[in-house]
Amino acid sequence: MKLQKEDLEKAESDIKEALDTIKGEMVTQFDEGFKKINENFGKIFKELFGGGSAALELDYSNATDKLDAGVEIK
């Protein structure tokens, strides 16, 4: 019984570590994608409206991290 408990605790630890790794990769990909989208949004805005500026910003008012954040257009 003790061995089974240790196996389950090890499995739980491994799963948590894997989830942390995956979340870290998701944040990295999100940051890269959001930066590119924001740059292109600013360029397209200028083209459509003949000047001016616009940007996308993350809204953390109802979120604890950027993967749950909303997006505001400035």
Side-chain angles (χ1 to χ4, degrees):
M1 194 73 149
K2 182 180 177 183
L3 185 59
Q4 290 173 332
K5 182 181 183 234
E6 290 172 358
D7 285 344
L8 287 174
E9 289 171 345
K10 172 77 168 101
E12 179 183 23
S13 174
D14 291 346
I15 290 170
K16 286 180 179 179
E17 184 178 330
L19 289 173
D20 288 343
T21 300
I22 290 168
K23 186 170 183 180
E25 292 174 7
M26 288 171 55
V27 168
T28 300
Q29 289 180 359
F30 179 86
D31 286 341
E32 292 171 0
F34 190 80
K35 181 180 177 184
K36 289 177 186 176
I37 291 167
N38 199 14
E39 289 171 1
N40 288 324
F41 180 73
K43 290 176 186 176
I44 297 297
F45 183 89
K46 284 182 183 179
E47 288 178 24
L48 287 174
F49 296 101
S53 64
L56 301 174
E57 292 182 3
L58 295 176
D59 176 14
Y60 292 99
S61 60
N62 294 320
T64 56
D65 66 31
K66 65 180 62 181
L67 297 177
D68 292 327
V71 177
E72 289 187 2
I73 299 173
K74 300 281 183 168

